[in-house]
Amino acid sequence: MSLDPARVLDLDPLLDDPDTRIVVCCGSGGVGKTTTAAALGLRAAERGRKVVVLTIDPARRLAQSMGIDSLDNVPRRVKGIDDSAGGELHAMMLDMKRTFDEIVEAHADGERAAVILNNPFYQSLSAGFAGTQEYMAMEKLGQLRARDEWDLIIVDTPPSRSALDFLDAPKRLGSFLDGRLIRLLTAPAKLGGRAGMKFLNVGMSMMTGTLGKLLGGQLLKDVQTFVAAMDTTFGGFRTRADATYKLLQAPGTAFLVVAAPERDALREAAYFVERLAAEAMPFAGLVLNRVHGSGAAHLSAERALAAAENLDAEATEDLESTAVENLDDARIVDQEGGKAGLRNSPDTYGSSESPASETSAPDGSEGPAGSDGSDEGSPAATDSTDATDRTDAPTDTPPHGHRTVEQLTAGLLRLHAERMQLLSREQRTRDRFAALHPEVAVAEVAALPGDVHDLAGLRDIGDRLAANRPELPETDA
């Protein structure tokens, strides 16, 4: 698939620009966000930037490809890169619960922090509450940016069914922490003393009784204890979330939407592009992974299929012709008693002798079947006849090389036709996206035969991203 030069995404200027401090790789799950983020981080580091890559991918492919045994919530330096330009590459994987714990410890004194961290409701919330992972990804991004130890932070957004979760989930969690139910549950603690008890006994008795029946008395108590202890930290959560969201809108941030040339993935990409525009987020362009190509694109699928059918027809005709020739040459006919004689032979008509009686052995003696026919049913004669039948009978397996070549060629033509049909579908899908968003610059990466497992593979991906290199090398005419 060829791109309009005016719409090609040039990533090297983006990575080299010192004003670019954050690159966010976003998109739906399974489109190569982690590999794209790692490849961009490696390329930027080898061009002189001090880079940290933050991944949320639980498959730990990033650690494997970078030669690190494991990644955790602390950035680890990647060894083996070309640091001749003075760059560094660090990588880390978000530990959602640990990041949540760090926020609590930073916003509460030791006693209150211990109450919160040991609260069963908090432990459930920090381990897997809806939106927690996305919120903590943004929180960790804010922490890394505040430390100012790296020139460039590249974020691999959490894997999710919807690309929009990265922007929506933190707000949903913030709404929960600042919702009416939470404020209502914290009201008794805020009032304190007898007034609080009176309010709880009179104003909330019916509600807590109902919630106790629905949720269980112990769970309700855990929630009330949690929100009471977290009361002083709610403002910190909301303030930091708002600050990180504004950081994503700042000029030093660039969003890259990652997709594959498939209908669902590009539909998600289109939604995300529109959402970024609505939120005034700085959008750099689209990275299109796993794009298929062909070195014989001039041969259409229709022509390839027609040629394959012609070759199959020629091969069939050759097989039929060869079968007839074999029958004529062997003159095979089945006779009673399993004997094989010569068909249409003029010597056999009008003669009472067996055709075999006229055949002599090389030493001049009589053949195995005498003129009296006494040996006509001998095992030797029967085996010889069966061997002749098996050898001369036509089969479906082509015995000659030229017919095998024809069939192999037809098979290859059909494979090429399938590839060209795939290219056509990808092109139509991309054309629909381009019609909706003609302003979006695109960088394409060819589909690779396997996964990327090392720095060399990441480096190759980075080269393809920067140069929009086609799948096959172009040759001069």
Side-chain angles (χ1 to χ4, degrees):
M1 298 192 303
S2 59
L3 291 173
D4 182 348
R7 297 175 53 247
V8 172
L9 174 62
D10 192 356
L11 286 169
D12 277 347
L14 177 69
L15 298 177
D16 294 341
D17 187 355
D19 292 333
T20 302
R21 302 299 302 273
I22 298 173
V23 173
V24 181
C25 297
C26 51
S28 57
V31 296
K33 293 196 303 282
T34 300
T35 300
T36 299
L40 290 174
L42 176 61
R43 186 170 183 83
E46 293 187 336
R47 295 174 70 87
R49 304 293 299 272
K50 189 175 182 181
V51 186
V52 60
V53 178
L54 169 63
T55 181
I56 302 94
D57 182 12
R60 303 180 185 273
R61 290 191 302 266
L62 179 62
Q64 296 171 0
S65 62
M66 291 185 170
I68 301 175
D69 293 335
S70 63
L71 293 175
D72 52 23
N73 218 38
V74 178
R76 307 289 181 184
R77 185 166 182 174
V78 178
K79 300 178 181 179
I81 74 167
D82 180 4
D83 57 0
S84 58
E88 295 180 8
L89 178 61
H90 301 252
M92 63 178 297
M93 185 173 71
L94 177 71
D95 185 330
M96 181 174 62
K97 188 179 187 312
R98 182 58 201 152
T99 301
F100 213 144
D101 292 348
E102 290 173 355
I103 300 174
V104 172
E105 292 167 353
H107 287 81
D109 56 52
E111 182 178 354
R112 179 167 297 200
V115 172
I116 295 173
L117 296 178
N118 293 323
N119 183 275
F121 180 76
Y122 167 77
Q123 292 174 358
S124 298
L125 175 68
S126 61
F129 193 81
T132 304
Q133 189 178 52
E134 287 79 3
Y135 181 94
M136 291 305 141
M138 296 182 67
E139 170 64 28
K140 180 57 67 174
L141 171 61
Q143 292 178 6
L144 293 174
R145 184 66 180 88
R147 290 167 60 177
D148 203 25
E149 294 183 20
W150 295 276
D151 298 331
L152 179 63
I153 303 170
I154 298 181
V155 182
D156 163 34
T157 56
S160 60
R161 190 172 67 176
S162 173
L164 301 178
D165 284 348
F166 179 66
L167 296 179
D168 291 336
K171 287 187 175 181
R172 288 199 299 266
L173 182 61
S175 298
F176 166 76
L177 294 176
D178 195 29
R180 292 181 179 179
L181 176 61
I182 295 296
R183 292 200 302 269
L184 190 59
L185 290 174
T186 57
K190 289 181 179 179
L191 291 174
R194 292 184 178 181
M197 291 300 297
K198 184 178 180 180
F199 177 82
L200 178 62
N201 291 332
V202 178
M204 296 187 66
S205 58
M206 293 182 62
M207 187 197 74
T208 55
T210 302
L211 288 176
K213 292 178 181 179
L214 294 175
L215 304 178
Q218 185 60 45
L219 176 58
L220 180 60
K221 183 179 180 180
D222 291 340
V223 173
Q224 289 175 327
T225 304
F226 166 74
V227 295
M230 288 281 286
D231 180 50
T232 57
T233 67
F234 281 160
F237 270 105
R238 290 193 299 271
T239 300
R240 294 171 74 89
D242 291 343
T244 303
Y245 206 79
K246 291 179 180 179
L247 182 63
L248 295 176
Q249 295 174 316
T253 301
F255 278 83
L256 289 175
V257 175
V258 184
E262 302 167 0
R263 184 180 61 182
D264 292 342
L266 278 177
R267 182 187 293 117
E268 287 283 341
Y271 291 156
F272 209 100
V273 169
E274 294 165 4
R275 177 63 182 277
L276 291 175
E279 298 289 338
M281 298 286 185
F283 174 55
L286 172 71
V287 173
L288 202 58
N289 283 329
R290 302 169 188 165
V291 177
H292 293 86
S294 174
H298 59 281
L299 179 59
S300 66
E302 293 77 11
R303 289 177 58 194
L305 287 174
E309 291 175 0
N310 290 337
L311 286 173
D312 283 341
E314 292 177 5
T316 301
E317 291 176 0
D318 287 346
L319 281 173
E320 293 174 352
S321 175
T322 302
V324 172
E325 291 175 1
N326 288 341
L327 286 173
D328 289 342
D329 292 342
R331 299 177 184 177
I332 298 174
V333 61
D334 292 334
Q335 298 182 356
E336 294 182 0
K339 294 173 62 177
L342 296 179
R343 182 179 61 184
N344 298 330
S345 173
D347 295 337
T348 61
Y349 289 99
S351 173
S352 61
E353 296 182 354
S354 172
S357 64
E358 298 180 5
T359 305
S360 300
D363 59 356
S365 62
E366 287 186 344
S371 59
D372 59 355
S374 59
D375 294 333
E376 64 182 19
S378 66
T382 302
D383 292 345
S384 176
T385 299
D386 293 343
T388 302
D389 288 342
R390 290 193 299 268
T391 302
D392 293 338
T395 63
D396 293 335
T397 303
H400 301 299
H402 72 281
R403 286 196 297 275
T404 302
V405 169
E406 289 172 354
Q407 292 179 338
L408 287 174
T409 304
L412 291 173
L413 285 169
R414 285 192 171 85
L415 288 176
H416 174 75
E418 292 177 2
R419 169 59 68 93
M420 294 306 297
Q421 290 168 349
L422 174 62
L423 265 64
S424 179
R425 288 195 300 271
E426 290 183 355
Q427 184 65 57
R428 289 194 302 270
T429 302
R430 205 183 70 83
D431 286 346
R432 285 194 291 268
F433 177 87
L436 290 173
H437 300 284
E439 76 286 356
V440 175
V442 182
E444 293 186 354
V445 180
L448 300 178
D451 292 334
V452 176
H453 300 289
D454 52 22
L455 289 176
L458 291 176
R459 191 174 292 111
D460 180 52
I461 293 292
D463 292 342
R464 292 171 182 265
L465 278 167
N468 274 289
R469 199 170 81 208
E471 181 177 14
L472 296 175
E474 296 180 349
T475 55
D476 297 333

